Amino acid sequence: MEYVKAFAVGGTICMISQILMEKTKLMPGRIMVLLVCTGAVLGALQLYEPLLDYAGSGASVPLTGFGYNLWKGIKEAIDHDGLIGLFRGGFKMAAVGTSAALVFAYIASIVFQPKMTK
């Protein structure tokens, strides 16, 4: 049943993103920013944690989960270090995911040798 919940929630997030891409004039980058900000806002309103408990990876893997993770890191760092945590907390919580994305993107660019279109 955990897989069904994860698929339903993650699929719904992806479906909303696809609808935004198809039915609005928003560019994909803006939709990505919207998803990250939505995750952070839902985390601040304490609405994302119950969704994580319910859906697991279905809520933590999409970009909304990244936004929630950034917010959570900033909140913990502010509680621990004060105002300087505002600048440091997001980097601490998201460093592994961001580093992995950069490394795997670099490896993919070497393996597939992308070319610019003219």
Side-chain angles (χ1 to χ4, degrees):
M1 197 62 183
E2 292 176 35
Y3 296 123
V4 174
K5 291 177 186 178
F7 178 78
V9 172
T12 301
I13 293 169
C14 293
M15 179 184 67
I16 291 168
S17 302
Q18 190 66 38
I19 289 170
L20 286 172
M21 287 174 61
E22 298 289 330
K23 300 294 182 186
T24 68
K25 293 182 180 181
L26 291 173
M27 300 299 290
R30 292 181 186 213
I31 294 171
M32 290 171 55
V33 169
L34 181 68
L35 289 170
V36 172
C37 291
T38 300
V41 169
L42 289 175
L45 297 173
Q46 299 180 346
L47 298 174
Y48 209 79
E49 188 75 31
L51 185 63
L52 278 174
D53 293 340
Y54 175 77
S57 294
S60 65
V61 172
L63 283 172
T64 52
F66 182 71
Y68 169 75
N69 200 25
L70 286 173
W71 172 83
K72 184 177 171 186
I74 290 169
K75 181 181 179 296
E76 289 175 4
I78 288 174
D79 291 344
H80 185 264
D81 300 327
L83 188 59
I84 195 72
L86 179 67
F87 303 104
R88 171 178 166 280
F91 292 119
K92 184 178 176 185
M93 285 297 280
V96 174
T98 304
S99 298
L102 290 171
V103 168
F104 289 125
Y106 180 70
I107 291 170
S109 73
I110 291 172
V111 170
F112 296 108
Q113 300 174 353
K115 295 184 177 35
M116 296 294 290
T117 57
K118 293 182 181 182

